[in-house]
Amino acid sequence: MQLRYNFRVYPTPDQQVALAQAFGCARVVYNDNLRAREHAYAAEVKLSDTEVQRRVVTEAKRSPERS
């Protein structure tokens, strides 16, 4: 038997801000990752997951606007 539950969450205003920042950050990292992979694919270069992480995440941490 499979059970399904529905939950609703009502975050406080402070929690809403924190959630928006976390999901916004995740979206930016995902978009950067996707862009790097598209450029590599167009250049016919195969990137490993480690290489993408080094290029995208590490470089983003070093930039002042994304730190």
Side-chain angles (χ1 to χ4, degrees):
M1 178 189 321
Q2 293 182 356
L3 298 176
R4 188 175 91 184
Y5 297 99
N6 289 329
F7 294 98
R8 272 195 95 97
V9 177
Y10 299 101
T12 65
D14 291 337
Q15 290 172 334
Q16 287 177 348
V17 170
L19 287 170
Q21 287 176 340
F23 288 119
C25 180
R27 186 179 68 239
V28 168
V29 170
Y30 176 80
N31 288 339
D32 288 346
N33 179 4
L34 188 61
R35 189 177 310 108
R37 287 194 181 269
E38 286 175 347
H39 287 297
Y41 182 77
E44 297 180 0
V45 176
K46 184 165 175 71
L47 288 178
S48 67
D49 291 338
T50 306
E51 181 67 20
V52 171
Q53 181 180 355
R54 185 184 67 75
R55 287 186 183 182
V56 175
V57 177
T58 306
E59 292 301 322
K61 287 180 185 177
R62 291 182 183 154
S63 66
E65 66 272 359
R66 293 202 178 166
S67 60

